[in-house]
Amino acid sequence: MEKIALVKSYFLPIGKEVTVKVPTGETKSGFFGGEKEIYRKETKWEQTGFSDSIIDSERLAEDLQASIDKLNADGFIVHSIVPLISGDYSYKYQAQGISSSKRVLSETESVSGGASYGYGYGYSYTDSLLVIAKKI
């Protein structure tokens, strides 16, 4: 008997370092005699979103290990692990017409118009892993 487990991959969280005020638990006398709480500045990482192209490989490895451990506990042994690949692409093409007309007092032509251009790119990433296991 075979069993297949899907281990989904996730994109890497991205963020930035921000400075925050953290209370120290201490107070000091204020200018007008009141107590004033003392703060210290700390830098911490704050998530702002997720990457659109980089997989969180550490999380994928942890999720894969958890899936293998569960299969082993249920009496299965892993036979193979198959990556499932996804991707994305983009392209653009713009054609500018070029025209020419005969000049009145000359044997030459007047050329007008623009240039054409195009570009394209694509990339792939591991969308998930299929863990194929057999009953022992």
Side-chain angles (χ1 to χ4, degrees):
M1 180 174 143
E2 282 193 341
K3 186 170 185 176
I4 298 175
L6 178 69
V7 179
K8 184 81 176 120
S9 64
Y10 296 91
F11 284 108
L12 186 68
I14 56 174
K16 61 183 178 179
E17 294 288 327
V18 294
T19 303
V20 294
K21 288 182 178 180
V22 178
T24 62
E26 301 173 5
T27 58
K28 68 177 182 178
S29 297
F31 186 70
F32 294 108
E35 292 292 313
K36 184 177 179 182
E37 195 167 10
I38 299 174
Y39 292 90
R40 72 174 188 278
K41 290 184 180 180
E42 283 186 4
T43 303
K44 72 171 194 168
W45 186 81
E46 184 176 277
Q47 183 177 341
T48 58
F50 291 92
S51 171
D52 60 357
S53 59
I54 302 172
I55 295 299
D56 188 345
S57 57
E58 288 181 25
R59 179 176 177 181
L60 182 58
E62 291 168 2
D63 293 347
L64 176 60
Q65 185 64 55
S67 178
I68 291 171
D69 291 344
K70 181 172 181 348
L71 287 167
N72 290 341
D74 292 343
F76 289 87
I77 186 165
V78 174
H79 179 271
S80 60
I81 300 172
V82 180
L84 299 178
I85 307 298
S86 287
D88 201 2
Y89 66 92
S90 184
Y91 65 91
K92 185 172 184 179
Y93 174 73
Q94 177 119 11
Q96 300 283 333
I98 297 177
S99 63
S100 64
S101 59
K102 188 165 173 62
R103 292 188 175 153
V104 177
L105 300 174
S106 172
E107 292 296 318
T108 62
E109 293 185 0
S110 172
V111 178
S112 63
S116 299
Y117 70 93
Y119 69 85
Y121 65 87
Y123 61 89
S124 61
Y125 57 91
T126 302
D127 179 69
S128 52
L129 302 172
L130 283 180
V131 181
I132 303 168
K134 289 185 179 181
K135 190 77 168 172
I136 303 176

